[in-house]
Every structure is written in C-alpha cells, then in structure tokens.
C-alpha cells in the first residue's frame, strides 16, 4: 500500500483499522444471519456436524 502525500503513516493505519473493523462486522453479521436460517431449518442439536461448526464459530457469534 502506498502512502499518499499529505497523509501520515499513522493516519493510514487508522484508516486500515477502521476498514478492517467494518469488514469484520459485516462478515459477523452475515454469519449470524446464516446461523439464524440454519436454526430455523435445523433445530440446534439436531445435526452433530452443525453442532461442531457452531462451536467453532462461538467466539465470532458472541458479540
């Protein structure tokens, strides 16, 4: 990434952090929507594979 004239490296880092945070929020929201649909179609605990996958996503879904 090239730093544009007039912007400090610190300013660029803040911008990257904001973009990363926004992208992470979007992915987390999409994942929550997917899990809501999966819960509607398959009640929690009814499919062992989904139970394992949900456990792997627990930290992302906690927020």
């Amino acid at each position: 990434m090239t730093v544009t004239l007039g912007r400090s490296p610190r300013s660029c880092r803040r911008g990257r952090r904001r973009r990363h945070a926004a992208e992470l929020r979007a992915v987390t929201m999409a994942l929550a929507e997917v899990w809501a649909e999966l819960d509607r179609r398959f009640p929690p605990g009814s499919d062992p594979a989904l139970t394992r996958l949900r456990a792997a996503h627990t930290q992302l879904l906690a927020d």
Side-chain angles (χ1 to χ4, degrees):
M1 175 179 248
T2 305
V3 176
T4 60
L5 295 175
R7 290 187 66 194
S8 70
R10 185 176 293 164
S11 174
C12 290
R13 279 192 300 274
R14 280 194 302 262
R16 283 194 307 268
R17 287 180 184 141
R18 279 193 303 271
R19 283 190 302 277
H20 177 74
E23 290 169 358
L24 183 58
R25 278 191 304 274
V27 168
T28 302
M29 289 173 55
L31 185 61
E33 289 177 22
V34 167
W35 277 111
E37 181 63 21
L38 286 170
D39 286 346
R40 189 179 70 73
R41 293 179 183 216
F42 306 98
S46 65
D47 185 330
L50 284 177
T51 300
R52 287 190 302 276
L53 189 57
R54 178 183 289 284
H57 289 163
T58 299
Q59 188 173 4
L60 285 173
L61 296 171
D63 294 335

